[in-house]
Amino acid sequence: MVTTRPAETPVAVRGHQRPWQRVDYKEVGRRVLLPLLALLIATLGTGLLLVNVLGDTWLIERDEAVSREVAGERSPFWNGVTDVVSSFSDTPVIVVATAIFAIGFRIAYKRWRESVFLIFAVWSQSLIFLASTVVSQRPRPEVAHLDPAPPTSSWPSGHTSAGVAFYFGLATVLTLHMHRHAILRWLLLAIGLAVPLAIAGARLYRGMHHLTDVSWGFMLGAACVAILAGGALYRPALKASGRVST
């Protein structure tokens, strides 16, 4: 008598597990932690290189020259405009706005993926910025400063990196859910990049950072968004193991 084996039951979806119980920590290490570690090392190394090796080179001289040229073009009108634009990336503004949108994403999309992405994009750039500014100790430009100088050093620009991580990160999340509105998606991405670019220009104008500081700050924020997007936001569902992405 021939017997037939019953069809194998597919692996049950473990929806009852909490989000952190469905995390593949090896994957997180490979796709998120290692790239962030490399970004930290690159930021630390470049800062030390600028301060300890390239101090008397044309690059540093040009950095200071740009700051002097920009400071020479100041006016009461642009002093006021850049003061407002710079405040878009003040620490209290970024912290509160990140918390508000993280809660809003969780409620709107009924999952954690977007919230986790935005929070960790902002946090990761902040941690790298703080470590780098402590290690490098780069002096601020030799021009009049229009803002009180914080205790952190000039390298890199934390306002710029935080601006990219939050505003471009926010635009990235919103465009993820606008498949049928291509024009609006591109407009949001353009705004998400334009705001931190304006912040970078404001920090340079106000004498708080060199051109290289804001340039690296922009790259730092963009890299954190890209890394977290690949590790959390656009993470494929793990169907083979029966896991579902959160």
Side-chain angles (χ1 to χ4, degrees):
M1 180 177 177
V2 179
T3 58
T4 58
R5 297 176 60 186
E8 293 184 1
T9 303
V11 179
V13 176
R14 293 180 286 182
H16 64 281
Q17 290 182 321
R18 297 185 182 277
W20 56 84
Q21 293 175 313
R22 298 196 293 269
V23 173
D24 186 338
Y25 291 102
K26 290 184 179 180
E27 190 73 0
V28 169
R30 183 179 68 85
R31 300 182 65 172
V32 177
L33 297 183
L34 285 179
L36 288 178
L37 178 59
L39 185 59
L40 170 62
I41 293 172
T43 305
L44 290 173
T46 305
L48 291 173
L49 185 67
L50 287 172
V51 173
N52 299 320
V53 179
L54 302 177
D56 297 324
T57 64
W58 65 270
L59 177 63
I60 304 303
E61 292 176 359
R62 184 56 188 165
D63 242 5
E64 292 291 347
V66 169
S67 294
R68 289 193 296 269
E69 291 170 8
V70 173
E73 299 296 326
R74 288 173 179 168
S75 68
F77 173 77
W78 287 110
N79 289 354
V81 170
T82 56
D83 186 27
V84 173
V85 173
S86 180
S87 70
F88 291 168
S89 196
D90 284 349
T91 298
V93 173
I94 295 296
V95 170
V96 172
T98 299
I100 291 173
F101 277 97
I103 295 171
F105 290 154
R106 177 66 182 96
I107 295 172
Y109 303 128
K110 296 180 173 57
R111 63 183 187 183
W112 288 102
R113 186 185 302 184
E114 290 81 2
S115 303
V116 168
F117 159 74
L118 186 63
I119 290 172
F120 281 93
V122 172
W123 280 4
S124 59
Q125 66 77 29
S126 180
L127 292 175
I128 293 174
F129 154 72
L130 289 173
S132 301
T133 194
V134 168
V135 171
S136 67
Q137 291 294 310
R138 187 183 191 189
R140 295 187 182 274
E142 297 178 357
V143 297
H145 302 152
L146 297 185
D147 293 323
T152 54
S153 64
S154 188
W155 174 267
S157 172
H159 272 72
T160 304
S161 62
V164 178
F166 175 73
Y167 292 105
F168 189 59
L170 178 62
T172 301
V173 170
L174 295 177
T175 57
L176 181 66
H177 297 274
M178 295 182 178
H179 303 292
R180 300 180 180 180
H181 305 280
I183 296 178
L184 184 56
R185 291 175 66 189
W186 285 109
L187 179 61
L188 282 171
L189 290 175
I191 294 174
L193 288 174
V195 173
L197 276 174
I199 292 171
R203 300 303 288 169
L204 178 64
Y205 176 93
R206 301 183 69 77
M208 305 311 296
H209 291 285
H210 304 88
L211 179 60
T212 50
D213 300 329
V214 297
S215 299
W216 192 277
F218 195 94
M219 185 280 298
L220 171 60
C224 288
V225 169
I227 292 169
L228 269 299
L233 194 58
Y234 297 107
R235 180 166 54 85
L238 301 176
K239 297 179 180 179
S241 63
R243 298 182 184 180
V244 288
S245 54
T246 56

